[in-house]
Amino acid sequence: MTTRSSDIEKAAGVLRAGGLVALPTETVYGLGANVEDPAAVARVFQVKGRPPSHPLIVHIGSADDLGDWVEDVPATARVLAERFWPGPLTLVLRRGPRVPLEATGGLETVAVRVPDHPVALALLSSFGGGVAAPSANRFGSVSPTTANHVRAELGDAVDFVLDGGSCEVGVESTIVDATGETPSVLRPGGVTREELEAVLGRPLAVHSTSRVRVPGQHPSHYAPRARVVLVEPEKVVAEAELAQELGHQVGVFLPPAFAGTAVKAHAVVEVPGSMAAYARGLYGFLRRLDERGCDLIVASLPVEQGLGLAIANRLRRAAGPRPTE
Ligand code: TXA
Ligand code: MG
């Protein structure tokens, strides 16, 4: 995948003019705006249909610039930034004056990361400032991992879509609250808990609910149109066939242990055995089953280790109660 430098220049120009750019990152595509332009940031919330109290992540081009955006950089945050940036780790720190409250949903903290994608880094370098970017999907739905997903979901609401191919990691960044002495995980993601603990040399708390507003922690987030039902791996085939018999159009996430099993259902996705491949494919699988017209998806949770922790977190949110229920 090659992106022309003229596209990078055009995207940087759109950001400078207060427009919105969809940009590839290693995790998912972001819907980017100049973080220092409150009107552009307001448009991000409007296009996503996201309540203005839900804070955005500020993307920057280098760990060396972190001090420009936050009040102070505690030693632990410095260690994590040096080890994991560029990469799928977001650090929550005290907000510096350059970050308007519009971007943080009124919070005195700000979430910052350096994405590990050549196109995103080229854009950040050409633009020179910070880019506030939530995932480029409507509030509550599945994050996009290709430029086509973004176009299909947001269409003309975005001024420019930078195509950087399929996202390598496939699930969002890990969010770590690094404001205090003891860092904690607010959202599991592309950097694993085990990798963080190895660097910190101690166990890390993972909060399933958080004091701060983390929309990813609400019920029914990362959700396809189809209802998602989670069962034990050995019950997936039987549950799927029963629901299909009862008249549902069933999509199946067939666990790796059952690969090759013929399932009497509407559509089947064979879940990859490698957690990296599963994470990379997850949102595309959910979208595919929606496109096939499934109204019910039967899946099971992977073992919650490594990337399995983030995958299980997203599947639980996808299966959470819908606003209408
Ligand atoms: O991988 C990612 O993180 C992607 C790519 C585009 O970078 N972005 C992403 O953004 O997932 P979004 O807006 O979909 O999720 C950002 C999460 C939200 O759950 C938000 O509440 C949390 O970050 N967040 C942002 N600022 C925060 C803060 N100051 N304190 C706690 N959580 C914060
Ligand atoms: Mg999101």
Side-chain angles (χ1 to χ4, degrees):
M1 181 82 226
T2 53
T3 304
R4 290 181 318 216
S5 58
S6 58
D7 283 343
I8 302 286
E9 290 314 312
K10 181 170 173 193
V14 169
L15 291 175
R16 273 184 217 108
L20 303 189
V21 171
L23 68 149
T25 80
E26 79 283 33
T27 58
V28 302
Y29 274 72
L31 177 63
N34 175 4
V35 67
E36 293 173 273
D37 181 340
V41 169
R43 239 185 99 204
V44 170
F45 285 100
Q46 186 225 320
V47 165
K48 260 191 83 89
R50 172 159 163 159
S53 59
H54 293 266
L56 306 178
I57 293 174
V58 180
H59 297 70
I60 62 173
S62 161
D64 296 339
D65 301 338
L66 179 57
D68 295 351
W69 302 97
V70 302
E71 194 56 50
D72 61 322
V73 183
T76 306
R78 174 62 58 203
V79 167
L80 293 176
E82 270 164 19
R83 166 65 181 79
F84 293 106
W85 285 354
L89 176 73
T90 294
L91 294 173
V92 172
L93 293 164
R94 262 178 283 283
R95 182 182 67 89
R98 250 182 112 173
V99 181
L101 285 167
E102 281 82 356
T104 69
L107 295 176
E108 285 304 333
T109 54
V110 60
V112 186
R113 85 178 189 101
V114 180
D116 187 14
H117 192 293
V119 173
L121 290 171
L123 174 64
L124 289 165
S125 158
S126 168
F127 173 59
V131 173
S135 51
N137 54 280
R138 307 244 180 230
F139 186 58
S141 82
V142 176
S143 301
T145 50
T146 68
N148 277 341
H149 293 165
V150 178
R151 291 188 196 104
E153 187 151 344
L154 299 181
D156 292 342
V158 193
D159 298 307
F160 191 60
V161 179
L162 260 180
D163 192 339
S166 302
C167 302
E168 268 296 306
V169 176
V171 291
E172 296 82 353
S173 60
T174 304
I175 302 180
V176 169
D177 180 345
T179 50
E181 303 257 299
T182 320
S184 61
V185 175
L186 301 179
R187 177 180 74 181
V191 169
T192 66
R193 172 194 200 153
E194 293 84 350
E195 288 174 297
L196 290 165
E197 289 179 343
V199 169
L200 295 172
R202 62 188 140 111
L204 201 58
V206 177
H207 296 295
S208 55
T209 54
S210 142
R211 288 170 290 112
V212 288
R213 285 162 290 216
V214 181
Q217 300 298 340
H218 289 174
S220 180
H221 212 81
Y222 312 105
R225 273 196 309 278
R227 230 160 66 80
V228 177
V229 175
L230 299 174
V231 301
E232 295 301 315
E234 54 281 1
K235 294 198 176 131
V236 167
V237 172
E239 290 286 336
E241 292 187 337
L242 179 62
Q244 184 75 27
E245 254 172 56
L246 292 173
H248 284 287
Q249 297 297 313
V250 178
V252 186
F253 267 36
L254 191 62
F258 298 87
T261 309
V263 191
K264 291 189 215 76
H266 185 64
V268 177
V269 165
E270 296 225 351
V271 169
S274 120
M275 285 299 130
Y278 192 1
R280 195 177 305 128
L282 177 65
Y283 291 140
F285 300 154
L286 292 171
R287 278 175 194 268
R288 192 187 308 161
L289 295 181
D290 266 350
E291 279 157 22
R292 293 286 306 275
C294 297
D295 63 89
L296 187 73
I297 295 173
V298 180
S300 61
L301 296 177
V303 177
E304 293 182 56
Q305 282 167 7
L307 282 172
L309 187 65
I311 295 167
N313 171 274
R314 304 308 188 269
L315 285 172
R316 281 208 185 86
R317 301 299 158 197
R322 302 291 162 98
T324 48
E325 286 173 8

